[in-house]
Amino acid sequence: MNSSRPYLVRALYEWIVDNDCTPHLLVDAEYRGVQIPAGFANDGQIVLNVAPSAVRNLQMDNEAVSFEGRFGGVSHSLYIPAGAVMAIYARENGQGMVFEIEPTSPDDSPADGGGAVDGEGGQRPAGRPSLKVVK
């Protein structure tokens, strides 16, 4: 059975935008295949504003979330595999959903060093994801 995560992310994104709030994604920056600008992740995580006014060419499918965003005034293309999305929530009130870490198969081991664009790889942190209040 397919993962429900990409379906829920799309539904919650639409719900947050329909309620005039700002959707944010909490992403595991060390997840295999994540492509984000180097130097913007904290503790292996990054929070991304994915509001329609903040990104261009937003695509959400069953495999990944991809878009163009600006970091420090420079445009970057981002690619977030669905399994790397740890949470989606509204900035204004925190309403949204935190996702469990999906078990990975032995074939998904980080042998080729996925991760941030700058090539930094590493093991995923053990334990459950944590959500921090960002003001």
Side-chain angles (χ1 to χ4, degrees):
M1 187 172 232
N2 292 336
S3 170
S4 61
R5 184 179 308 216
Y7 299 93
L8 293 170
V9 168
R10 287 192 300 267
L12 287 165
Y13 176 86
E14 187 174 326
W15 174 70
I16 291 167
V17 171
D18 284 352
N19 283 285
D20 296 322
C21 291
T22 309
H24 279 65
L25 294 178
L26 176 63
V27 175
D28 179 351
E30 297 174 349
Y31 192 91
R32 179 185 208 138
V34 169
Q35 295 176 1
I36 58 172
F40 288 93
N42 262 340
D43 297 325
Q45 300 176 352
I46 187 168
V47 176
L48 301 170
N49 176 351
V50 289
S53 61
V55 300
R56 293 180 51 132
N57 302 323
L58 178 66
Q59 297 291 319
M60 293 182 167
D61 59 31
N62 291 348
E63 303 302 318
V65 175
S66 60
F67 59 92
E68 294 175 20
R70 298 183 72 78
F71 291 80
V74 179
S75 183
H76 293 274
S77 292
L78 286 80
Y79 183 84
I80 314 298
V85 177
M86 300 168 66
I88 182 169
Y89 61 95
R91 178 184 68 197
E92 291 78 3
N93 58 22
Q95 290 189 13
M97 182 177 284
V98 177
F99 300 101
E100 296 283 331
I101 294 175
E102 291 183 348
T104 57
S105 67
D107 296 337
D108 291 342
S109 63
D112 65 353
V117 169
D118 65 352
E120 292 180 31
Q123 297 294 332
R124 294 176 58 190
R128 300 183 67 149
S130 61
L131 188 60
K132 298 176 185 175
V133 175
V134 179
K135 293 188 179 189

